[in-house]
Amino acid sequence: MKTFKQSSLLKKDSQTNRKLELNYRRAKHTDHSPDLDKLAEEFNYENCRHSYWNPVEFSLLYGTPLWEQSTASQKVLLNQLYWVAYYSQIISAEIATIFFNQTSATGLYSLEGFRLICDTLDLETRQERSHINCFRTVIDEVEKTLFGKRLFSYPMRSPFRETMIFANTNQFKNWWKKIQLYSFGLISAGNPFLACQYLTVRGIRTLNGKLVQHKLSQFHTNNTEDSPIPAQISYYHFLDESFHFNTSTILSHDVISCLQPPTPFERQITNLGIWGCQKDHYHVSVAVNGIFWYDPALYFTIYQVLRSPFFGLSVEEAKAMLTACFTQETDGLHRSFKTHDEAIASYQLYLNSLDFISASNKEMKLMASNSIPRYLKTQRKALDRFFKQQELTVN
Ligand SMILES: [Fe+2]
Ligand SMILES: [Fe+2]
């Protein structure tokens, strides 16, 4: 019989509901997207062109021979290019977030009494658009001024692509990824359990972001007097994102226990999603510590930086520098692997209490199987192939 008395799985007076209310109220109250919109409007590269934007160790190829041989002004440039590269990746992740926040909200809105979660996800979606605008404003101006073309960035793109902008991919893998993303979007929009599982994946990805963004944000808190606009952007963005992380955690750890236990199919899709996350986060980049890019996909970009007037290397010098930076065991490589290890430990902790996650995902087996010797072996082969295939004459 259809009655008017339908009770919600999410009880109004439950602890989970209280957590959700508090998180939403605070996120709305402290929403930093207006600050970020303002910073984007005020940004002028000339005003901060000669200063560091991040703590010094967050510089492109920090701890490699390139860093050691760079002049003071080249080091400033590498520091700024880290910001450009890092947030180019964040834009891609946030484009995907905008779409999947909405499919998850759709999946959960089919249940009685779940509006609060949907309103929270709406707020976060709107904030991501502001974040993206802010990052793009800075990145576009910097790349245009310095190189007259895009190096790390890309034109606006769809969410149905590899989230990693420098990935180990090809046409077939890109196509397959697109099919997977389309399918997950459709299925999760009609399945509350899987809608919550997007938030498990989002939680893992945000954990990775938090590891680095917390440190980037400290550059502003330690230099509030004269911190450049990009450092302020890192700071305000980090504040918004800490609420997003809370939302991911409440949905994937608390709300999930209000729902029916997963069916074998739901378990399988969930574990495939986490496995996909492990695949995405398997690689380690010596160029950008904290972003798990596949470095061979980055060689040509770095080559163009080395050949630009700011470094002025000849073709042969640039090739020697690529070899020195990517195929040797450097302090930079150790630092990047340290961040990778920290990410693995934090993901393991995050998934530990979820009983529907498989052992190989809980242990982050795939991610943990990468190592410095493996990295170097891959680079030596790939760089050799790169030198043979590329016509390296770009100015
Ligand atoms: Fe964001
Ligand atoms: Fe976010």
Side-chain angles (χ1 to χ4, degrees):
M1 194 175 64
K2 293 175 190 165
T3 69
F4 284 106
K5 273 193 187 165
Q6 281 168 307
S7 62
S8 172
L9 293 168
L10 184 61
K11 299 271 176 280
K12 268 246 168 283
D13 56 350
S14 66
Q15 209 191 353
T16 303
N17 203 55
R18 275 199 295 274
K19 276 190 193 173
L20 284 165
E21 272 173 353
L22 186 67
N23 186 52
Y24 181 49
R25 203 178 332 126
R26 280 181 161 177
K28 246 195 332 187
H29 183 67
T30 60
D31 177 13
H32 289 292
S33 49
D35 302 313
L36 290 163
D37 285 342
K38 199 163 153 264
L39 288 171
E41 264 175 44
E42 286 170 2
F43 178 72
N44 179 343
Y45 185 36
E46 288 310 319
N47 294 343
C48 54
R49 194 170 171 160
H50 303 293
S51 56
Y52 276 77
W53 295 354
N54 314 305
V56 64
E57 64 274 24
F58 291 97
S59 301
L60 192 72
L61 287 157
Y62 181 80
T64 67
L66 178 68
W67 177 261
E68 282 143 27
Q69 292 167 32
S70 288
T71 62
S73 65
Q74 286 169 336
K75 284 184 174 170
V76 169
L77 184 67
L78 290 172
N79 188 264
Q80 296 172 356
L81 288 180
Y82 178 98
W83 198 103
V84 166
Y86 186 86
Y87 288 109
S88 291
Q89 177 57 46
I90 299 301
I91 292 172
S92 169
E94 298 197 340
I95 288 173
T97 302
I98 287 172
F99 175 69
F100 288 107
N101 277 355
Q102 295 310 309
T103 54
S104 295
T106 305
L108 290 162
Y109 196 55
S110 62
L111 302 175
E112 287 293 333
F114 276 63
R115 178 182 161 187
L116 175 58
I117 293 175
C118 304
D119 289 347
T120 308
L121 292 171
D122 283 351
L123 168 70
E124 294 179 2
T125 298
R126 191 174 54 69
Q127 288 178 324
E128 301 298 16
R129 291 199 187 97
S130 157
H131 300 167
I132 290 171
N133 171 62
C134 202
F135 301 143
R136 278 178 66 93
T137 305
V138 175
I139 291 167
D140 287 2
E141 195 177 322
V142 172
E143 289 194 331
K144 205 169 162 195
T145 309
L146 294 177
F147 307 105
K149 62 180 172 187
R150 295 187 181 280
L151 280 187
F152 295 96
S153 69
Y154 41 87
M156 205 54 186
R157 55 197 262 168
S158 116
F160 305 108
R161 314 192 37 147
E162 284 285 355
T163 312
M164 287 291 171
I165 56 178
F166 292 93
N168 182 10
T169 191
N170 55 37
Q171 256 187 328
F172 174 75
K173 284 191 198 168
N174 281 337
W175 172 81
W176 180 233
K177 188 77 173 204
K178 191 161 110 181
I179 302 292
Q180 287 176 312
L181 293 169
Y182 274 135
S183 313
F184 185 77
L186 263 179
I187 298 173
S188 59
N191 181 311
F193 182 85
L194 292 176
C196 273
Q197 290 319 306
Y198 166 63
L199 278 297
T200 312
V201 170
R202 204 186 82 168
I204 291 177
R205 291 182 183 278
T206 317
L207 263 179
N208 170 228
K210 267 167 76 97
L211 283 177
V212 173
Q213 290 171 34
H214 175 58
K215 293 174 189 155
L216 298 186
S217 75
Q218 283 173 335
F219 193 75
H220 170 65
T221 38
N222 296 338
N223 308 277
T224 32
E225 287 294 289
D226 53 0
S227 97
I229 283 185
Q232 295 179 47
I233 293 172
S234 295
Y235 172 73
Y236 289 115
H237 180 250
F238 176 71
L239 295 183
D240 275 355
E241 286 301 324
S242 30
F243 288 101
H244 299 193
F245 180 66
N246 289 347
T247 308
S248 299
T249 306
I250 303 169
L251 264 93
S252 60
H253 287 69
D254 300 293
V255 172
I256 200 74
S257 54
C258 308
L259 305 178
Q260 298 292 330
T263 62
F265 172 73
E266 289 165 345
R267 265 173 200 261
Q268 201 183 355
I269 299 289
T270 300
N271 280 296
L272 276 174
I274 311 275
W275 188 257
C277 234
Q278 286 206 62
K279 259 187 178 168
D280 279 357
H281 291 196
Y282 170 83
H283 296 289
V284 175
S285 171
V286 73
V288 186
N289 179 1
I291 294 272
F292 303 137
W293 281 343
Y294 179 60
D295 275 349
L298 200 60
Y299 294 158
F300 190 58
T301 302
I302 302 293
Y303 174 78
Q304 291 178 86
V305 172
L306 298 176
R307 295 278 288 135
S308 73
F310 307 105
F311 288 90
L313 300 192
S314 68
V315 173
E316 286 315 311
E317 284 167 343
K319 284 166 84 172
M321 186 56 88
L322 286 177
T323 308
C325 291
F326 288 102
T327 66
Q328 289 175 17
E329 195 171 334
T330 59
D331 175 42
L333 188 60
H334 279 277
R335 286 171 175 272
S336 292
F337 264 91
K338 189 168 168 269
T339 307
H340 197 249
D341 287 344
E342 283 167 17
I344 293 170
S346 67
Y347 301 173
Q348 287 169 337
L349 198 66
Y350 196 68
L351 296 176
N352 191 35
S353 62
L354 302 176
D355 57 10
F356 46 85
I357 304 291
S358 68
S360 54
N361 274 330
K362 272 192 178 177
E363 290 161 25
M364 289 284 141
K365 260 197 171 147
L366 179 62
M367 249 185 108
S369 67
N370 202 352
S371 64
I372 290 181
R374 269 198 187 194
Y375 171 92
L376 291 173
K377 201 173 157 201
T378 305
Q379 304 304 313
R380 283 170 192 149
K381 260 199 214 155
L383 196 60
D384 205 37
R385 212 176 316 129
F386 174 75
F387 289 153
K388 281 180 189 144
Q389 284 169 356
Q390 286 284 339
E391 275 291 311
L392 297 178
T393 52
V394 178
N395 287 309

